[in-house]
Amino acid sequence: MAEFNFAKSLLAWHTNHGRHDLPWQHPRTAYRVWVSEIMLQQTQVSTVIKYFDAFMLKFPTLNDLACSPSEQVMQLWAGLGYYSRARNLHQSARICQVQFDAQLPKTFAELMALPGIGRSTAGAILSQAHGLPFAILDGNVKRVLTRFHAIKGDSNSSAIQTQLWQHAESHLPSTKLANYTQALMDLGATVCARSKPNCANCPLTKHCQALQSNSVADYPSKKARKTIPKRETHALILISESNEILLEQRPNHGIWGGLFSLPEVSDSEQAKVFVKQFIKQSKNAVELSAITHQFSHFQLTIKPSLWRNCARKAQIRDNNQYQWIACNQLIQIGLPAPIKKLLQDLK
């Protein structure tokens, strides 16, 4: 019997069962692979595809991305979440424009030096775009390897990470690196799933240590469930007599960084103080139904209040982070998904 070869078995499976029609595969350039890898961090393929297509339509080349204002980049990223990814992508594009003639560098060290590119992303770019022998270790790959090698422990700890990287590199084939990398990601996404893995159709079945010990469900090791903190904020919807809405551009750090959103205050009393400078006479707000938005590390309850016929002022608290935006122009700026839906529901 021929000796089992991890990569060869995976490549054979991928020929008939892997994903071959993902938009970043045609063509599979370094730029397109990079953008897709950044978008796919913490986000499923089914969600990413429409964002990727729109992004490529607007920024077909790295130079197009580098030359575009950050507002356009954030607008196309709005709703995808984890907005630091978009800021890093844009910053890296501008660095590449100056230092690498508007191309991504082709060395591991130079890629790793760019904002937002870590070891796995650099490996994905080099293996998929250039066919070079570099491993990847995203969430799907971690799951495949922890089960195949029955590795117990927190897969994000440094000790387990070291083991996983060693295994990932040991399985690299000498050829067909692009297909192998895609095959490994596909296996984790479509067969070796987090729940209800389809072990019967896995090409690694006979050599998977977790399956052989009937303990697939034990890998990756379960993390202790943490209580998710809950926060609350009051969002102010101020609409002027000329149908403009007051928006605040959020700082680049923190949630929804760089996007436009509604002004926020901590309670209803602060809301009255803030709004007082925009109304001509005393009036009550229309309190709208609260909405809840789940972030990765906390749950946010937004309590919106609506104030119509506000007085538009050219200067707002001498702070240019606030802007009056015509309601029919909201589609042209980047808004957080729950805020965008909230404003759409007003119509």
Side-chain angles (χ1 to χ4, degrees), residues 290-347:
I291 56 177
T292 300
H293 186 70
Q294 188 70 50
F295 291 93
S296 60
H297 54 295
F298 71 96
Q299 184 184 85
L300 179 66
T301 297
I302 303 171
K303 294 186 174 181
S305 56
L306 174 62
W307 309 74
R308 293 191 181 274
N309 298 319
C310 296
R312 183 192 189 285
K313 297 187 178 181
Q315 290 190 346
I316 306 161
R317 287 182 160 187
D318 296 323
N319 189 335
N320 61 8
Q321 76 189 68
Y322 295 102
Q323 293 184 36
W324 289 99
I325 305 291
C327 289
N328 60 7
Q329 294 181 352
L330 293 179
I331 60 173
Q332 300 177 17
I333 61 175
L335 293 169
I339 301 301
K340 183 178 181 179
K341 185 178 186 306
L342 174 63
L343 296 179
Q344 287 175 336
D345 290 344
L346 290 178
K347 299 177 182 179

CSV table of all heavy atoms in Angstrom, one decimal, residues 290-347:
chain,number,residue,atom,x,y,z
A,290,ALA,N,-35.7,50.7,20.3
A,290,ALA,CA,-34.3,50.4,20.5
A,290,ALA,C,-33.9,49.3,19.5
A,290,ALA,O,-34.7,48.4,19.2
A,290,ALA,CB,-34.0,50.0,21.9
A,291,ILE,N,-32.7,49.3,19.1
A,291,ILE,CA,-32.1,48.2,18.3
A,291,ILE,C,-30.9,47.6,19.0
A,291,ILE,O,-30.2,48.4,19.7
A,291,ILE,CB,-31.7,48.6,16.9
A,291,ILE,CG1,-30.8,49.8,16.9
A,291,ILE,CG2,-33.0,49.0,16.1
A,291,ILE,CD1,-30.3,50.3,15.5
A,292,THR,N,-30.6,46.4,18.8
A,292,THR,CA,-29.5,45.7,19.4
A,292,THR,C,-28.5,45.2,18.3
A,292,THR,O,-29.0,44.6,17.3
A,292,THR,CB,-29.9,44.5,20.3
A,292,THR,OG1,-30.8,45.0,21.3
A,292,THR,CG2,-28.7,43.8,20.9
A,293,HIS,N,-27.2,45.5,18.5
A,293,HIS,CA,-26.2,45.1,17.6
A,293,HIS,C,-25.2,44.3,18.3
A,293,HIS,O,-24.6,44.7,19.3
A,293,HIS,CB,-25.6,46.3,16.9
A,293,HIS,CG,-24.7,45.9,15.8
A,293,HIS,ND1,-25.1,45.4,14.6
A,293,HIS,CD2,-23.3,46.0,15.7
A,293,HIS,CE1,-24.0,45.2,13.8
A,293,HIS,NE2,-23.0,45.5,14.5
A,294,GLN,N,-24.8,43.1,17.8
A,294,GLN,CA,-23.9,42.2,18.4
A,294,GLN,C,-22.5,42.4,17.8
A,294,GLN,O,-22.3,42.2,16.6
A,294,GLN,CB,-24.3,40.8,18.2
A,294,GLN,CG,-23.4,39.8,19.0
A,294,GLN,CD,-23.7,40.0,20.5
A,294,GLN,OE1,-24.8,40.0,21.0
A,294,GLN,NE2,-22.6,40.1,21.3
A,295,PHE,N,-21.5,42.9,18.6
A,295,PHE,CA,-20.1,42.9,18.2
A,295,PHE,C,-19.4,41.6,18.7
A,295,PHE,O,-20.0,40.8,19.4
A,295,PHE,CB,-19.4,44.1,18.8
A,295,PHE,CG,-19.9,45.4,18.2
A,295,PHE,CD1,-20.9,46.2,18.8
A,295,PHE,CD2,-19.3,45.9,17.0
A,295,PHE,CE1,-21.3,47.4,18.3
A,295,PHE,CE2,-19.7,47.1,16.5
A,295,PHE,CZ,-20.7,47.9,17.1
A,296,SER,N,-18.2,41.4,18.3
A,296,SER,CA,-17.5,40.2,18.7
A,296,SER,C,-17.3,40.2,20.2
A,296,SER,O,-17.2,39.1,20.8
A,296,SER,CB,-16.2,40.1,18.0
A,296,SER,OG,-15.4,41.2,18.3
A,297,HIS,N,-17.2,41.3,20.8
A,297,HIS,CA,-16.8,41.3,22.2
A,297,HIS,C,-17.8,42.0,23.2
A,297,HIS,O,-17.6,42.1,24.4
A,297,HIS,CB,-15.4,42.0,22.4
A,297,HIS,CG,-15.3,43.3,21.8
A,297,HIS,ND1,-15.4,43.5,20.4
A,297,HIS,CD2,-15.1,44.6,22.3
A,297,HIS,CE1,-15.3,44.8,20.2
A,297,HIS,NE2,-15.1,45.5,21.3
A,298,PHE,N,-18.9,42.5,22.6
A,298,PHE,CA,-19.9,43.1,23.5
A,298,PHE,C,-21.2,43.3,22.7
A,298,PHE,O,-21.2,43.2,21.4
A,298,PHE,CB,-19.5,44.4,24.1
A,298,PHE,CG,-19.4,45.6,23.2
A,298,PHE,CD1,-20.5,46.5,23.0
A,298,PHE,CD2,-18.3,45.8,22.4
A,298,PHE,CE1,-20.4,47.6,22.1
A,298,PHE,CE2,-18.2,46.9,21.6
A,298,PHE,CZ,-19.2,47.8,21.4
A,299,GLN,N,-22.3,43.5,23.4
A,299,GLN,CA,-23.6,43.7,22.8
A,299,GLN,C,-24.0,45.2,23.0
A,299,GLN,O,-23.9,45.7,24.1
A,299,GLN,CB,-24.6,42.8,23.4
A,299,GLN,CG,-26.0,42.9,22.8
A,299,GLN,CD,-27.0,42.0,23.5
A,299,GLN,OE1,-27.6,42.4,24.5
A,299,GLN,NE2,-27.2,40.8,23.0
A,300,LEU,N,-24.4,45.9,22.0
A,300,LEU,CA,-24.7,47.3,22.0
A,300,LEU,C,-26.2,47.5,21.8
A,300,LEU,O,-26.7,47.1,20.8
A,300,LEU,CB,-23.9,48.1,21.0
A,300,LEU,CG,-24.2,49.6,21.0
A,300,LEU,CD1,-23.7,50.3,22.3
A,300,LEU,CD2,-23.5,50.2,19.8
A,301,THR,N,-26.9,48.2,22.7
A,301,THR,CA,-28.2,48.6,22.6
A,301,THR,C,-28.3,50.1,22.2
A,301,THR,O,-27.7,50.9,22.9
A,301,THR,CB,-29.1,48.4,23.8
A,301,THR,OG1,-29.1,47.0,24.1
A,301,THR,CG2,-30.5,48.8,23.7
A,302,ILE,N,-28.9,50.4,21.1
A,302,ILE,CA,-29.0,51.8,20.6
A,302,ILE,C,-30.4,52.3,20.8
A,302,ILE,O,-31.3,51.7,20.3
A,302,ILE,CB,-28.6,51.8,19.1
A,302,ILE,CG1,-27.2,51.2,18.9
A,302,ILE,CG2,-28.6,53.3,18.6
A,302,ILE,CD1,-26.8,51.1,17.4
A,303,LYS,N,-30.5,53.4,21.5
A,303,LYS,CA,-31.8,54.0,21.7
A,303,LYS,C,-31.9,55.2,20.9
A,303,LYS,O,-31.3,56.3,21.3
A,303,LYS,CB,-32.0,54.3,23.2
A,303,LYS,CG,-32.1,53.0,24.1
A,303,LYS,CD,-32.5,53.3,25.5
A,303,LYS,CE,-32.7,52.1,26.3
A,303,LYS,NZ,-33.0,52.4,27.7
A,304,PRO,N,-32.6,55.2,19.8
A,304,PRO,CA,-32.6,56.4,18.9
A,304,PRO,C,-33.8,57.3,19.2
A,304,PRO,O,-34.8,56.9,19.6
A,304,PRO,CB,-32.8,55.8,17.5
A,304,PRO,CG,-33.4,54.4,17.7
A,304,PRO,CD,-33.2,54.0,19.1
A,305,SER,N,-33.5,58.6,19.0
A,305,SER,CA,-34.6,59.6,19.2
A,305,SER,C,-34.5,60.5,17.9
A,305,SER,O,-33.4,60.9,17.5
A,305,SER,CB,-34.4,60.4,20.5
A,305,SER,OG,-33.1,61.0,20.5
A,306,LEU,N,-35.7,60.9,17.4
A,306,LEU,CA,-35.8,61.6,16.2
A,306,LEU,C,-36.2,63.0,16.5
A,306,LEU,O,-37.2,63.3,17.1
A,306,LEU,CB,-36.8,60.9,15.3
A,306,LEU,CG,-37.2,61.6,14.0
A,306,LEU,CD1,-35.9,61.8,13.1
A,306,LEU,CD2,-38.3,60.9,13.3
A,307,TRP,N,-35.5,64.0,15.9
A,307,TRP,CA,-35.8,65.4,16.0
A,307,TRP,C,-35.8,66.0,14.6
A,307,TRP,O,-34.8,66.1,13.9
A,307,TRP,CB,-34.7,66.1,16.9
A,307,TRP,CG,-34.4,65.5,18.2
A,307,TRP,CD1,-33.7,64.3,18.3
A,307,TRP,CD2,-34.7,65.9,19.5
A,307,TRP,NE1,-33.5,64.0,19.7
A,307,TRP,CE2,-34.2,65.0,20.4
A,307,TRP,CE3,-35.4,67.0,20.0
A,307,TRP,CZ2,-34.4,65.1,21.8
A,307,TRP,CZ3,-35.6,67.1,21.3
A,307,TRP,CH2,-35.1,66.2,22.2
A,308,ARG,N,-37.0,66.5,14.3
A,308,ARG,CA,-37.2,67.1,12.9
A,308,ARG,C,-37.2,68.6,13.0
A,308,ARG,O,-37.3,69.2,14.0
A,308,ARG,CB,-38.5,66.6,12.3
A,308,ARG,CG,-38.5,65.1,11.9
A,308,ARG,CD,-39.6,64.7,11.1
A,308,ARG,NE,-39.7,63.3,10.8
A,308,ARG,CZ,-39.0,62.7,9.7
A,308,ARG,NH1,-38.3,63.5,8.9
A,308,ARG,NH2,-39.1,61.4,9.5
A,309,ASN,N,-37.0,69.2,11.8
A,309,ASN,CA,-37.1,70.6,11.6
A,309,ASN,C,-36.0,71.4,12.5
A,309,ASN,O,-36.3,72.4,13.1
A,309,ASN,CB,-38.5,71.2,11.9
A,309,ASN,CG,-39.5,70.6,10.9
A,309,ASN,OD1,-39.2,70.5,9.7
A,309,ASN,ND2,-40.6,70.2,11.5
A,310,CYS,N,-34.8,70.8,12.5
A,310,CYS,CA,-33.8,71.4,13.3
A,310,CYS,C,-33.1,72.5,12.5
A,310,CYS,O,-33.2,72.5,11.2
A,310,CYS,CB,-32.7,70.4,13.7
A,310,CYS,SG,-33.3,69.1,14.8
A,311,ALA,N,-32.5,73.5,13.2
A,311,ALA,CA,-31.9,74.6,12.5
A,311,ALA,C,-30.5,74.1,12.0
A,311,ALA,O,-29.7,73.7,12.9
A,311,ALA,CB,-31.8,75.8,13.4
A,312,ARG,N,-30.2,74.2,10.8
A,312,ARG,CA,-28.9,73.8,10.2
A,312,ARG,C,-27.9,74.9,10.5
A,312,ARG,O,-28.1,76.0,10.2
A,312,ARG,CB,-29.0,73.5,8.7
A,312,ARG,CG,-27.7,73.0,8.1
A,312,ARG,CD,-27.8,73.1,6.6
A,312,ARG,NE,-26.7,72.4,5.9
A,312,ARG,CZ,-25.5,72.9,5.8
A,312,ARG,NH1,-25.2,74.1,6.4
A,312,ARG,NH2,-24.5,72.3,5.2
A,313,LYS,N,-26.8,74.5,11.1
A,313,LYS,CA,-25.7,75.5,11.3
A,313,LYS,C,-24.4,75.1,10.6
A,313,LYS,O,-24.1,73.9,10.6
A,313,LYS,CB,-25.5,75.6,12.9
A,313,LYS,CG,-26.7,76.1,13.6
A,313,LYS,CD,-26.4,76.3,15.1
A,313,LYS,CE,-27.6,76.9,15.8
A,313,LYS,NZ,-27.3,77.1,17.2
A,314,ALA,N,-23.8,76.1,10.1
A,314,ALA,CA,-22.6,75.8,9.3
A,314,ALA,C,-21.5,75.3,10.2
A,314,ALA,O,-20.7,74.4,9.8
A,314,ALA,CB,-22.1,77.1,8.6
A,315,GLN,N,-21.4,75.9,11.4
A,315,GLN,CA,-20.3,75.4,12.3
A,315,GLN,C,-21.0,74.8,13.5
A,315,GLN,O,-21.9,75.4,14.0
A,315,GLN,CB,-19.4,76.6,12.8
A,315,GLN,CG,-18.5,77.1,11.6
A,315,GLN,CD,-17.5,78.1,12.2
A,315,GLN,OE1,-17.6,78.6,13.3
A,315,GLN,NE2,-16.5,78.4,11.4
A,316,ILE,N,-20.6,73.6,13.8
A,316,ILE,CA,-21.2,72.9,14.9
A,316,ILE,C,-20.2,72.7,16.0
A,316,ILE,O,-19.2,71.9,15.9
A,316,ILE,CB,-21.7,71.5,14.4
A,316,ILE,CG1,-22.6,71.7,13.1
A,316,ILE,CG2,-22.4,70.8,15.4
A,316,ILE,CD1,-22.7,70.5,12.3
A,317,ARG,N,-20.4,73.4,17.1
A,317,ARG,CA,-19.5,73.3,18.2
A,317,ARG,C,-18.0,73.5,17.8
A,317,ARG,O,-17.1,73.0,18.4
A,317,ARG,CB,-19.6,71.9,18.8
A,317,ARG,CG,-20.9,71.7,19.6
A,317,ARG,CD,-20.8,70.3,20.2
A,317,ARG,NE,-21.7,70.1,21.3
A,317,ARG,CZ,-21.7,69.1,22.1
A,317,ARG,NH1,-20.9,68.1,21.9
A,317,ARG,NH2,-22.6,69.0,23.1
A,318,ASP,N,-17.8,74.3,16.7
A,318,ASP,CA,-16.4,74.5,16.2
A,318,ASP,C,-15.7,73.2,16.1
A,318,ASP,O,-14.5,73.1,16.3
A,318,ASP,CB,-15.6,75.4,17.2
A,318,ASP,CG,-16.2,76.8,17.3
A,318,ASP,OD1,-16.7,77.3,16.2
A,318,ASP,OD2,-16.2,77.4,18.4
A,319,ASN,N,-16.4,72.1,15.7
A,319,ASN,CA,-15.8,70.8,15.6
A,319,ASN,C,-16.2,70.2,14.2
A,319,ASN,O,-17.4,69.9,14.0
A,319,ASN,CB,-16.3,69.9,16.7
A,319,ASN,CG,-15.6,68.6,16.8
A,319,ASN,OD1,-15.0,68.1,15.8
A,319,ASN,ND2,-15.6,68.0,17.9
A,320,ASN,N,-15.3,70.1,13.3
A,320,ASN,CA,-15.6,69.7,11.9
A,320,ASN,C,-15.9,68.2,11.8
A,320,ASN,O,-16.0,67.6,10.7
A,320,ASN,CB,-14.6,70.1,10.9
A,320,ASN,CG,-13.2,69.5,11.2
A,320,ASN,OD1,-13.1,68.6,12.1
A,320,ASN,ND2,-12.2,69.9,10.5
A,321,GLN,N,-15.9,67.4,13.0
A,321,GLN,CA,-16.2,66.0,12.9
A,321,GLN,C,-17.7,65.8,12.6
A,321,GLN,O,-18.2,64.8,12.2
A,321,GLN,CB,-15.9,65.3,14.2
A,321,GLN,CG,-16.8,65.5,15.3
A,321,GLN,CD,-16.3,65.0,16.6
A,321,GLN,OE1,-15.3,65.5,17.2
A,321,GLN,NE2,-16.9,64.0,17.1
A,322,TYR,N,-18.5,66.9,12.8
A,322,TYR,CA,-19.9,66.9,12.5
A,322,TYR,C,-20.2,67.5,11.1
A,322,TYR,O,-19.6,68.5,10.8
A,322,TYR,CB,-20.8,67.6,13.6
A,322,TYR,CG,-20.7,67.0,14.9
A,322,TYR,CD1,-19.9,67.5,15.9
A,322,TYR,CD2,-21.5,65.9,15.2
A,322,TYR,CE1,-19.8,66.9,17.2
A,322,TYR,CE2,-21.4,65.3,16.5
A,322,TYR,CZ,-20.6,65.8,17.5
A,322,TYR,OH,-20.5,65.3,18.7
A,323,GLN,N,-21.1,66.9,10.4
A,323,GLN,CA,-21.5,67.4,9.1
A,323,GLN,C,-23.0,67.2,8.8
A,323,GLN,O,-23.6,66.2,9.3
A,323,GLN,CB,-20.7,66.7,8.0
A,323,GLN,CG,-19.2,66.9,8.0
A,323,GLN,CD,-18.5,66.3,6.8
A,323,GLN,OE1,-19.1,66.2,5.7
A,323,GLN,NE2,-17.3,65.8,7.0
A,324,TRP,N,-23.6,68.1,8.1
A,324,TRP,CA,-24.9,68.0,7.7
A,324,TRP,C,-24.9,67.3,6.3
A,324,TRP,O,-24.2,67.8,5.4
A,324,TRP,CB,-25.6,69.3,7.6
A,324,TRP,CG,-26.0,69.9,8.9
A,324,TRP,CD1,-25.3,70.9,9.5
A,324,TRP,CD2,-27.1,69.6,9.7
A,324,TRP,NE1,-25.9,71.2,10.7
A,324,TRP,CE2,-27.0,70.5,10.9
A,324,TRP,CE3,-28.2,68.7,9.6
A,324,TRP,CZ2,-27.9,70.4,11.9
A,324,TRP,CZ3,-29.1,68.7,10.6
A,324,TRP,CH2,-29.0,69.5,11.8
A,325,ILE,N,-25.5,66.2,6.1
A,325,ILE,CA,-25.5,65.5,4.9
A,325,ILE,C,-27.0,65.3,4.4
A,325,ILE,O,-27.9,65.0,5.2
A,325,ILE,CB,-25.0,64.0,5.1
A,325,ILE,CG1,-23.6,64.1,5.7
A,325,ILE,CG2,-25.0,63.3,3.7
A,325,ILE,CD1,-22.5,64.7,4.8
A,326,ALA,N,-27.2,65.7,3.1
A,326,ALA,CA,-28.5,65.5,2.5
A,326,ALA,C,-29.0,64.1,2.6
A,326,ALA,O,-28.2,63.2,2.3
A,326,ALA,CB,-28.5,66.0,1.1
A,327,CYS,N,-30.2,63.8,3.0
A,327,CYS,CA,-30.7,62.5,3.2
A,327,CYS,C,-30.6,61.6,1.9
A,327,CYS,O,-30.4,60.4,2.0
A,327,CYS,CB,-32.2,62.5,3.7
A,327,CYS,SG,-32.3,63.1,5.4
A,328,ASN,N,-30.7,62.3,0.7
A,328,ASN,CA,-30.6,61.5,-0.5
A,328,ASN,C,-29.2,61.2,-0.9
A,328,ASN,O,-28.9,60.6,-1.9
A,328,ASN,CB,-31.4,62.2,-1.6
A,328,ASN,CG,-30.8,63.6,-1.9
A,328,ASN,OD1,-29.8,64.0,-1.4
A,328,ASN,ND2,-31.5,64.4,-2.8
A,329,GLN,N,-28.2,61.7,-0.1
A,329,GLN,CA,-26.8,61.4,-0.4
A,329,GLN,C,-26.2,60.4,0.6
A,329,GLN,O,-25.0,60.1,0.5
A,329,GLN,CB,-26.0,62.7,-0.3
A,329,GLN,CG,-26.4,63.7,-1.4
A,329,GLN,CD,-25.5,65.0,-1.3
A,329,GLN,OE1,-24.8,65.2,-0.4
A,329,GLN,NE2,-25.7,65.8,-2.4
A,330,LEU,N,-27.0,59.8,1.5
A,330,LEU,CA,-26.5,58.9,2.5
A,330,LEU,C,-25.9,57.6,1.8
A,330,LEU,O,-25.0,57.0,2.4
A,330,LEU,CB,-27.6,58.5,3.4
A,330,LEU,CG,-28.2,59.6,4.3
A,330,LEU,CD1,-29.3,59.0,5.2
A,330,LEU,CD2,-27.1,60.2,5.2
A,331,ILE,N,-26.4,57.3,0.6
A,331,ILE,CA,-25.8,56.1,0.0
A,331,ILE,C,-24.4,56.3,-0.5
A,331,ILE,O,-23.7,55.3,-0.9
A,331,ILE,CB,-26.7,55.6,-1.2
A,331,ILE,CG1,-26.8,56.7,-2.2
A,331,ILE,CG2,-28.1,55.2,-0.7
A,331,ILE,CD1,-27.5,56.3,-3.5
A,332,GLN,N,-24.0,57.5,-0.5
A,332,GLN,CA,-22.6,57.8,-1.0
A,332,GLN,C,-21.6,57.8,0.1
A,332,GLN,O,-20.4,58.1,-0.2
A,332,GLN,CB,-22.7,59.2,-1.7
A,332,GLN,CG,-23.6,59.2,-2.9
A,332,GLN,CD,-23.7,60.6,-3.5
A,332,GLN,OE1,-22.8,61.5,-3.3
A,332,GLN,NE2,-24.7,60.9,-4.3
A,333,ILE,N,-22.0,57.6,1.3
A,333,ILE,CA,-21.0,57.6,2.4
A,333,ILE,C,-21.0,56.3,3.2
A,333,ILE,O,-22.0,55.5,3.0
A,333,ILE,CB,-21.2,58.8,3.4
A,333,ILE,CG1,-22.6,58.7,4.0
A,333,ILE,CG2,-21.1,60.1,2.7
A,333,ILE,CD1,-22.9,59.7,5.1
A,334,GLY,N,-20.0,56.0,3.9
A,334,GLY,CA,-19.9,54.8,4.7
A,334,GLY,C,-20.7,55.0,6.0
A,334,GLY,O,-20.3,55.8,6.8
A,335,LEU,N,-21.7,54.1,6.2
A,335,LEU,CA,-22.5,54.1,7.4
A,335,LEU,C,-22.4,52.7,8.0
A,335,LEU,O,-22.5,51.7,7.3
A,335,LEU,CB,-23.9,54.5,7.1
A,335,LEU,CG,-24.3,55.9,6.7
A,335,LEU,CD1,-25.7,56.0,6.2
A,335,LEU,CD2,-24.0,56.9,7.8
A,336,PRO,N,-22.4,52.6,9.4
A,336,PRO,CA,-22.5,51.3,10.0
A,336,PRO,C,-23.8,50.6,9.6
A,336,PRO,O,-24.8,51.3,9.5
A,336,PRO,CB,-22.4,51.6,11.5
A,336,PRO,CG,-21.8,52.9,11.6
A,336,PRO,CD,-22.2,53.7,10.3
A,337,ALA,N,-23.8,49.3,9.4
A,337,ALA,CA,-25.0,48.6,9.0
A,337,ALA,C,-26.2,48.9,9.8
A,337,ALA,O,-27.3,49.2,9.2
A,337,ALA,CB,-24.7,47.1,8.9
A,338,PRO,N,-26.2,48.8,11.1
A,338,PRO,CA,-27.4,49.1,11.9
A,338,PRO,C,-27.9,50.5,11.8
A,338,PRO,O,-29.1,50.8,11.8
A,338,PRO,CB,-27.0,48.8,13.4
A,338,PRO,CG,-25.5,48.8,13.4
A,338,PRO,CD,-25.1,48.5,12.0
A,339,ILE,N,-27.0,51.5,11.6
A,339,ILE,CA,-27.4,52.9,11.5
A,339,ILE,C,-28.0,53.1,10.1
A,339,ILE,O,-29.0,53.8,9.9
A,339,ILE,CB,-26.2,53.8,11.7
A,339,ILE,CG1,-25.6,53.6,13.1
A,339,ILE,CG2,-26.5,55.3,11.5
A,339,ILE,CD1,-26.5,53.9,14.2
A,340,LYS,N,-27.4,52.5,9.1
A,340,LYS,CA,-27.9,52.6,7.7
A,340,LYS,C,-29.3,52.0,7.7
A,340,LYS,O,-30.2,52.7,7.1
A,340,LYS,CB,-27.0,51.8,6.8
A,340,LYS,CG,-27.4,51.9,5.3
A,340,LYS,CD,-26.5,51.1,4.4
A,340,LYS,CE,-26.8,51.2,3.0
A,340,LYS,NZ,-25.9,50.4,2.1
A,341,LYS,N,-29.6,50.9,8.3
A,341,LYS,CA,-30.9,50.3,8.3
A,341,LYS,C,-31.9,51.2,9.1
A,341,LYS,O,-33.1,51.4,8.7
A,341,LYS,CB,-30.9,48.9,8.9
A,341,LYS,CG,-32.3,48.2,8.9
A,341,LYS,CD,-32.2,46.8,9.4
A,341,LYS,CE,-33.5,46.1,9.2
A,341,LYS,NZ,-34.7,46.8,9.7
A,342,LEU,N,-31.4,51.8,10.2
A,342,LEU,CA,-32.3,52.6,11.0
A,342,LEU,C,-32.7,53.8,10.2
A,342,LEU,O,-33.9,54.2,10.2
A,342,LEU,CB,-31.5,53.1,12.2
A,342,LEU,CG,-32.1,54.2,13.1
A,342,LEU,CD1,-33.4,53.6,13.8
A,342,LEU,CD2,-31.2,54.6,14.2
A,343,LEU,N,-31.8,54.4,9.5
A,343,LEU,CA,-32.2,55.6,8.7
A,343,LEU,C,-33.1,55.2,7.5
A,343,LEU,O,-34.0,56.0,7.1
A,343,LEU,CB,-30.9,56.3,8.2
A,343,LEU,CG,-30.0,56.9,9.3
A,343,LEU,CD1,-28.8,57.6,8.8
A,343,LEU,CD2,-30.8,57.9,10.2
A,344,GLN,N,-32.8,54.1,6.9
A,344,GLN,CA,-33.6,53.6,5.8
A,344,GLN,C,-35.1,53.4,6.2
A,344,GLN,O,-36.0,53.7,5.5
A,344,GLN,CB,-33.1,52.4,5.2
A,344,GLN,CG,-31.8,52.6,4.3
A,344,GLN,CD,-31.2,51.3,3.8
A,344,GLN,OE1,-31.4,50.2,4.4
A,344,GLN,NE2,-30.4,51.4,2.8
A,345,ASP,N,-35.3,52.9,7.4
A,345,ASP,CA,-36.6,52.6,8.0
A,345,ASP,C,-37.4,53.9,8.3
A,345,ASP,O,-38.6,53.8,8.5
A,345,ASP,CB,-36.5,51.7,9.2
A,345,ASP,CG,-36.0,50.3,8.9
A,345,ASP,OD1,-36.0,49.9,7.7
A,345,ASP,OD2,-35.6,49.6,9.8
A,346,LEU,N,-36.7,55.0,8.3
A,346,LEU,CA,-37.4,56.3,8.6
A,346,LEU,C,-38.3,56.7,7.4
A,346,LEU,O,-39.2,57.4,7.5
A,346,LEU,CB,-36.4,57.4,8.9
A,346,LEU,CG,-35.7,57.3,10.2
A,346,LEU,CD1,-34.7,58.5,10.3
A,346,LEU,CD2,-36.7,57.3,11.4
A,347,LYS,N,-37.9,56.3,6.2
A,347,LYS,CA,-38.5,56.7,5.0
A,347,LYS,C,-39.9,56.2,4.8
A,347,LYS,O,-40.2,55.1,5.3
A,347,LYS,CB,-37.7,56.3,3.7
A,347,LYS,CG,-36.3,56.9,3.8
A,347,LYS,CD,-35.5,56.5,2.6
A,347,LYS,CE,-34.1,57.0,2.6
A,347,LYS,NZ,-33.2,56.6,1.5
